[in-house]
Amino acid sequence: MPLRLVIQNTSSKEIDAPRPHPSAKFVEAALRTAKNSKKDTRNAIIADISDVLNCRQDDLNFMFEHNMVPHDRRPVFELELPDYRMKLSDIYKEAAE
């Protein structure tokens, strides 16, 4: 079923986003603060967040560790994607050439 029909046949109450859990605001604000804090303060904030989320501190450290990967080591793959804006007759002409 096309998305347009789903939206037209769904009530606005069903489309509304669910209300976030109250702890979500705490986690969001704490992550923003941790991003702009020094390492010791960040570790304390991450400890509090890991308690709220019931996870290990190591599970959250990936957000603050920056591992740069040099561009020249990445393989480059040639990928051709179809242009869906073209008409079918234009595609046949391209293929014939």
Side-chain angles (χ1 to χ4, degrees):
M1 178 182 282
L3 183 59
R4 178 181 51 81
L5 291 176
V6 172
I7 292 171
Q8 288 175 351
N9 294 316
T10 306
S11 70
S12 61
K13 289 181 182 179
E14 292 176 322
I15 293 179
D16 285 344
R19 300 222 181 264
H21 193 273
S23 63
K25 289 186 179 183
F26 165 76
V27 171
E28 184 180 345
L31 287 173
R32 238 185 268 120
T33 304
K35 178 182 174 185
N36 299 312
S37 299
K38 293 184 180 180
K39 187 174 182 177
D40 294 336
T41 307
R42 181 181 306 132
N43 289 337
I45 294 170
I46 290 175
D48 290 342
I49 296 171
S50 64
D51 288 343
V52 171
L53 297 177
N54 195 20
C55 66
R56 296 177 301 141
Q57 290 182 20
D58 293 338
D59 296 335
L60 302 175
N61 282 333
F62 76 93
M63 291 186 274
F64 305 102
E65 295 173 357
H66 303 287
N67 297 327
M68 299 294 288
V69 177
H71 291 287
D72 57 348
R73 292 186 184 173
R74 294 183 190 171
V76 176
F77 298 105
E78 302 251 347
L79 179 65
E80 292 186 20
L81 298 173
D83 186 358
Y84 292 108
R85 296 172 295 179
M86 295 176 68
K87 295 180 182 174
L88 189 58
S89 60
D90 294 335
I91 295 173
Y92 289 143
K93 288 177 189 174
E94 288 274 333
E97 292 176 2

